[in-house]
Amino acid sequence: MKIETSLCAGAALGVLLLGASAAQAQDTTTAWKGAPQFQNDSLTFKVRGRVYNDYVYQDVDRQTGADFEASNTRLRTARLGVEGTWNANWAYKAEINFTRGGSEWEDLILEYKPTDTISIMAGNFKTVSLENITSSRYITFMERGPYNDVLGIGRVMNVQVKANGPNWTVAGAVSGDSLNSADVATNAATGSKEVFGFNGRATFAPIMTDSDQVHLGVWARRRNREDQGNFSYGVRNNTNYGAQYVTSGAVGVKDTMIGLEGAWVHGPFSVQGEWANIDIQRPGNLDADARAWYLYGSWFVTGETRRYEANKGEFNRIKILDPMTSGGLGAVELGVRYDSVDLTDITGVATAGEYSAWTLGANWYPHPYVRFMANYSVSENDNAAVGADVDAKTLQFRAQFDF
């Protein structure tokens, strides 16, 4: 069902008022977690959100057609939501993203934990891939990159069961389409079905010491478009801005994905990478495979370390050693990344080619909830059609804060 702006805003306001009423019903304590978090016994309530303001400059060199340059200041993300718990067993999160074109749901989650190590979640959220699950507030580069684009592993409606130990996680889910997608048109004779799928992910940390953490992960997803449009596989140029030059168009009826994850944190240094294969079922027995992978390294010049949580299988907010609020410099991080996507096995599509890119990144964290970012990417879009190759150079800056 498409969610309109007024409905989103009304729902958010309703949750805020209910939470505030509950918080005022009894004496409460307040903790600071980027914003005030109110607590009374096991009831907690907190307003959450984030804002990313970007500047983007892009220089596009086309093999055929006019080259061009473009630049824009733009609002990348502006989210507002709430989160909290009712007791040790129940938790919730609801967040809306406001853009110039309207608004849409991001995370919308209800969670039940019958034990400390078992979780049952229902709602609109992400389930697979290390970089995908890690919040954009904590990833090293401004965008998650073409790996996530081509896989199409964003938020969808899920029911997930997850178990974890001190250094491992196992999760499985059944899924539909995004909560923000339009309803499937009903056919009176045959009915209608939205996208249906299932997925699973497992992670393991064989090394967890004060100086070294190693993450290993594997995941798989199977989905069927049912009565919705065919799946498309395309990449952006390591930016949310501009056009896609390597893309399959709508070709997939069903697909099966398998992904591998790896990361190593050694003090201020870290390396992270992922690889995935997509087995695409197409009409007319034109089945194909697509592959994507990335590898990057980062270094905290000021000595911080990426904060890995093995019992969740993801990265979280870093601890700044000397923040500006205490008279220090803050944290400085440098990174370099390589991305690769191969769609050349998809026949009959002129733009189903190969993508590769190098990205350099620099981050400054003056405060744990504030970050300034700079990325420079050089990307190549090599397509089978004569004259369809495109090279793009992209320079981006971001001012980010969250609460």
Side-chain angles (χ1 to χ4, degrees):
M1 177 182 295
K2 184 64 69 176
I3 307 297
E4 301 296 337
T5 303
S6 59
L7 179 56
C8 289
L13 180 61
V15 175
L16 284 168
L17 291 175
L18 286 172
S21 298
Q24 293 173 0
Q26 305 176 57
D27 292 336
T28 63
T29 58
T30 305
W32 182 262
K33 294 186 177 180
Q37 176 175 284
F38 304 98
Q39 181 168 358
N40 189 308
D41 193 18
S42 57
L43 171 67
T44 66
F45 174 82
K46 176 182 176 292
V47 178
R48 57 179 283 133
R50 70 190 72 173
V51 176
Y52 302 165
N53 289 304
D54 290 2
Y55 169 79
V56 185
Y57 167 81
Q58 195 167 66
D59 181 0
V60 177
D61 181 5
R62 295 190 289 191
Q63 189 177 9
T64 302
D67 302 339
F68 66 89
E69 298 179 12
S71 64
N72 272 282
T73 54
R74 57 202 303 266
L75 177 65
R76 175 65 176 92
T77 293
R79 300 185 194 175
L80 181 63
V82 295
E83 65 181 7
T85 61
W86 287 296
N87 54 36
N89 303 107
W90 291 92
Y92 62 90
K93 183 190 298 183
E95 193 171 51
I96 299 169
N97 188 26
F98 297 92
T99 66
R100 286 173 294 180
S103 60
E104 62 181 15
W105 289 106
E106 295 289 335
D107 282 334
L108 185 64
I109 302 170
L110 178 64
E111 180 180 20
Y112 173 64
K113 297 193 70 171
T115 71
D116 290 340
T117 59
I118 302 292
S119 168
I120 302 171
M121 296 173 60
N124 198 61
F125 56 93
K126 301 174 181 178
T127 57
V128 298
S129 166
L130 174 60
E131 189 173 52
N132 186 47
I133 289 177
T134 298
S135 171
S136 63
R137 296 168 294 171
Y138 315 136
I139 60 177
T140 302
F141 296 89
M142 288 175 59
E143 302 293 336
R144 290 188 173 88
Y147 180 86
N148 286 71
D149 296 336
V150 75
L151 297 174
I153 47 177
R155 293 175 177 85
V156 296
M157 292 296 288
N158 295 283
V159 176
Q160 181 189 66
V161 178
K162 183 176 181 179
N164 73 275
N167 65 338
W168 60 270
T169 71
V170 176
V174 294
S175 59
D177 197 10
S178 168
L179 183 63
N180 301 298
S181 298
D183 291 340
V184 184
T186 301
N187 183 308
T190 61
S192 61
K193 297 179 181 179
E194 74 170 16
V195 171
F196 175 78
F198 50 90
N199 59 79
R201 179 177 184 249
T203 68
F204 176 58
I207 299 175
M208 285 295 297
T209 67
D210 291 341
S211 59
D212 290 273
Q213 299 88 48
V214 173
H215 165 93
L216 301 174
V218 61
W219 60 267
R221 181 180 74 169
R222 171 72 171 173
R223 61 177 179 166
N224 185 334
R225 71 170 175 83
E226 298 292 353
D227 296 315
Q228 295 188 254
N230 288 350
F231 301 127
S232 179
Y233 311 90
V235 302
R236 302 172 299 175
N237 288 265
N238 285 72
T239 176
N240 178 255
Y241 178 76
Q244 291 185 345
Y245 302 109
V246 170
T247 179
S248 70
V251 298
V253 175
K254 300 177 182 178
D255 59 29
T256 302
M257 303 181 185
I258 296 176
L260 301 176
E261 309 169 2
W264 173 38
V265 179
H266 177 67
F269 301 96
S270 72
V271 178
Q272 178 176 316
E274 297 188 71
W275 173 93
N277 185 81
I278 315 171
D279 180 4
I280 306 166
Q281 292 182 241
R282 301 177 59 189
N285 295 319
L286 296 175
D287 296 355
D289 287 329
R291 282 160 296 279
W293 62 275
Y294 73 86
L295 180 67
Y296 79 76
S298 78
W299 171 41
F300 277 96
V301 181
T302 46
E304 287 79 8
T305 187
R306 294 180 71 200
R307 181 181 161 198
Y308 175 64
E309 297 189 336
N311 62 341
K312 295 181 179 179
E314 63 189 68
F315 286 93
N316 212 317
R317 191 184 308 274
I318 69 164
K319 181 179 180 181
I320 300 175
L321 298 178
D322 200 10
M324 290 191 71
T325 50
S326 301
L329 171 66
V332 176
E333 180 186 22
L334 302 177
V336 59
R337 175 183 178 120
Y338 182 77
D339 288 279
S340 177
V341 174
D342 185 352
L343 303 181
T344 55
D345 196 42
I346 301 174
T347 58
V349 181
T351 56
E354 292 183 87
Y355 174 90
S356 61
W358 285 96
T359 300
L360 298 176
N363 302 321
W364 175 42
Y365 307 73
H367 180 273
Y369 294 87
V370 176
R371 178 165 65 163
F372 296 93
M373 310 179 73
N375 282 185
Y376 179 68
S377 298
V378 178
S379 57
E380 296 182 358
N381 300 267
D382 298 325
N383 290 308
V386 176
D389 293 353
V390 179
D391 295 336
K393 299 179 179 68
T394 307
L395 177 65
Q396 306 177 88
F397 299 97
R398 173 173 295 169
Q400 165 187 325
F401 71 91
D402 70 280
F403 53 90

